[in-house]
Amino acid sequence: MATPELDLSKLTGLELLRLGMTTQDRPRFIGDLLGMEVESLEYGEVVFALHTRPEFANPLGTTHGGICATLLDSVMGCAVHTTLDAGVGYTTLELKVNYIRAVPTDGQRLTATGSTIHVGRTTATAEGRVVDAGGRLVAHGTTTCVILGNR
């Protein structure tokens, strides 16, 4: 007997993310390229981590700021996504990142946490922090997302 196909449009944002991050044959995403690990997916808060690598280097030999920006964009956007109803999407409208300290490319573990600040009918805002293995702040940011679909 065939298993009925799952209708993804019926899943909330949180359900969709949880399914998408645990399904073995899921579509690839930017996190695969960077080696992101999902630490936590909760309503309004998401935590991802990665280890730096030599190929993440900027011309000065430290981790390129785009790595932290991508981590922040990912956790803040996904935090917004966890709050959305079935069939509702989002996209990043604005991203602001503050860099606090340089990070070596020698396997440092970076952990990013994104949390919603406000989720309305047409826009949402979130904040995020990236810390190193010692808990020191590496970067922080905010985002504004536009809500796509009926809310």
Side-chain angles (χ1 to χ4, degrees), residues 4-82:
E5 193 160 319
L6 182 61
D7 184 357
L8 299 178
S9 69
K10 303 281 191 231
L11 299 179
T12 67
L14 180 56
E15 292 168 338
L16 188 61
L17 279 174
R18 284 182 173 164
L19 177 69
M21 295 300 182
T22 59
T23 302
Q24 194 163 22
D25 62 345
R26 67 168 168 70
R28 294 183 52 77
F29 75 114
I30 188 70
D32 295 324
L33 182 64
L34 298 180
M36 282 187 204
E37 304 163 7
V38 177
E39 298 278 316
S40 174
L41 294 169
E42 300 298 331
Y43 186 89
E45 185 174 282
V46 170
V47 181
F48 293 167
L50 61 72
H51 288 88
T52 63
R53 306 190 306 247
E55 56 269 28
F56 289 176
N58 61 25
L60 300 174
T62 59
T63 298
H64 190 283
I67 300 300
C68 285
T70 301
L71 261 173
L72 285 166
D73 187 41
S74 297
V75 296
M76 293 185 299
C78 285
V80 168
H81 196 175
T82 65

Side-chain angles (χ1 to χ4, degrees), residues 56-130:
F56 289 176
N58 61 25
L60 300 174
T62 59
T63 298
H64 190 283
I67 300 300
C68 285
T70 301
L71 261 173
L72 285 166
D73 187 41
S74 297
V75 296
M76 293 185 299
C78 285
V80 168
H81 196 175
T82 65
T83 68
L84 301 180
D85 295 332
V88 178
Y90 77 96
T91 192
T92 300
L93 185 63
E94 178 267 342
L95 175 67
K96 166 81 168 86
V97 178
N98 293 289
Y99 299 99
I100 305 303
R101 64 176 30 91
V103 178
T105 60
D106 62 353
Q108 297 284 317
R109 182 174 177 79
L110 298 178
T111 303
T113 302
S115 304
T116 56
I117 298 170
H118 166 79
V119 181
R121 289 183 305 129
T122 59
T123 60
T125 57
E127 60 191 356
R129 297 170 52 89
V130 178

